[in-house]
Amino acid sequence: MNKRLQLLRRRLAEKEIDAIFITQSANRRYLSGFDGTAGYLFITKRKAVLATDFRYIEQAKAEAPDFEILHITGNLADWFTGLIRDSGIKSLGFEAGDITFNFHHQLRDTLKKKQVSSKLVAVNGLVESLRAVKEPGEIELIRKASAITDAAFEYVEGTIKAGMTEKQVAWELEKALREKGSQPLPFDIIVASGPNAALPHHKPSDRVISKGEPIVIDMGAKSGGYASDLSRTICVGTPDATFKKVYGTVLDAQTTAMSIITKGMTGNKADSVAREIIQKGGYGEAFGHSLGHGVGLAEHELPRLGPGSDEILSDGMVFTVEPGIYLSRWGGVRIEDTVLVTKDGCEVLSQDVPKEIADVEKLMAEKSILPQR
């Protein structure tokens, strides 16, 4: 029996929901194993149905052995009510955070026209909360993705030099990630140099990189459908005093947070430890995003480590720890690693990319790429 289905059914029973209609792609894959790009799951106490079209029938049969495969054609009204008409379903959960307002109206109107009395019940985060705790096989895939990211960054890092554009660096990183074994990348690579580094989600541009300025790089790989996430801030040539101070503050915030993260802690507590260090450094207003987010089938998922997050961290959760400081007209620094919560604390999965001062000094002697405190 599919353990994930058992856990979901238990949660549905707790909420007194008879069945759930799964539309979110990562949730569909997590529960069924099917990674095609089109399909729906219908799950009751006894039934598990994967509904998909002609293009994916054979793939669904191979990848979702615990599910009855329903070949669907035509519009939603042609097959949706057939799923639930004879199931005695009084309450049907739907993923409110995924479907559009228009799609909800289609579901409601279809049930009404076909005189099906099932009540639609909005559900949020039910499957996502299951996904937050990773199984050993999932952790191994994230380890592989992290190793690919590390290898690609190290390979490209030594080739970055003044005169290259952000787009050129991003392309070299993307090529390296694919050549090292990544599946299609989980998100667009960020390369932000100089003043652009003050923009946390800057898109690589034709801006030419100059010596002495910060370069924020944010990248990830995918292995077996699971993502990694890594950020480093480097400098070509000699960094200025601001770079050294900001980098040291961010590094201190990150390493301190990772040293105290443990199961039973809230996401808010982990965030506050890093945020306090940045505030004491005089940059409190320049850290405007959360400390971290879960990583798995999606590049951003539960848990969230940030102000107001009451989510309890537990064994098997995998997430980023990524404090940053962003200064208008100067630039910014972000340092990010993917970590795993264990019974003993927190294990860093992105292990091979230097960031500590001793490693940086060695790197400085070997290359002209200078991230440092």
Side-chain angles (χ1 to χ4, degrees), residues 17-74:
I17 297 174
D18 298 324
I20 189 167
F21 187 56
I22 301 292
T23 53
Q24 207 272 345
S25 59
N27 289 344
R28 181 179 65 228
R29 176 170 181 168
Y30 178 78
L31 293 168
S32 71
F34 172 66
D35 71 349
T37 58
Y40 308 91
L41 303 184
F42 175 68
I43 298 166
T44 72
K45 296 177 183 177
R46 298 180 181 83
K47 293 182 67 174
V49 179
L50 166 55
T52 190
D53 63 56
F54 172 81
R55 297 170 296 170
Y56 299 104
I57 294 299
E58 294 304 317
Q59 179 182 347
K61 290 177 181 178
E63 293 179 345
D66 295 320
F67 281 71
E68 172 190 341
I69 308 303
L70 175 65
H71 179 184
I72 59 176
T73 59

Side-chain angles (χ1 to χ4, degrees), residues 308-373:
S309 173
D310 58 1
E311 295 166 48
I312 304 297
L313 306 183
S314 63
D315 293 15
M317 285 187 170
V318 177
F319 47 80
T320 66
V321 180
E322 51 175 308
I325 293 173
Y326 309 92
L327 305 177
S328 179
R329 295 187 297 278
W330 176 80
V333 171
R334 180 165 67 253
I335 304 173
E336 173 186 28
D337 289 288
T338 301
V339 305
L340 164 70
V341 178
T342 69
K343 61 183 178 62
D344 300 315
C346 160
E347 177 189 349
V348 181
L349 301 184
S350 41
Q351 299 179 357
D352 299 325
V353 181
K355 64 179 178 180
E356 301 295 343
I357 187 63
D359 295 329
V360 166
E361 288 175 345
K362 180 180 178 183
L363 184 66
M364 195 186 310
E366 296 173 351
K367 305 173 184 177
S368 61
I369 309 294
L370 309 176
Q372 58 178 265
R373 290 180 88 163

Side-chain angles (χ1 to χ4, degrees), residues 145-157 176-177 180 219 230 352-353:
S146 295
I148 291 169
T149 308
D150 290 356
F153 182 88
E154 287 190 299
Y155 178 76
V156 173
E157 180 188 34
L177 285 165
K180 301 293 183 182
M219 58 191 287
L230 175 81
D352 299 325
V353 181

Side-chain angles (χ1 to χ4, degrees), residues 181-202:
S182 178
Q183 295 175 317
L185 306 190
F187 55 88
D188 291 338
I189 293 169
I190 294 171
V191 177
S193 64
N196 289 342
L199 308 174
H201 284 178
H202 172 70

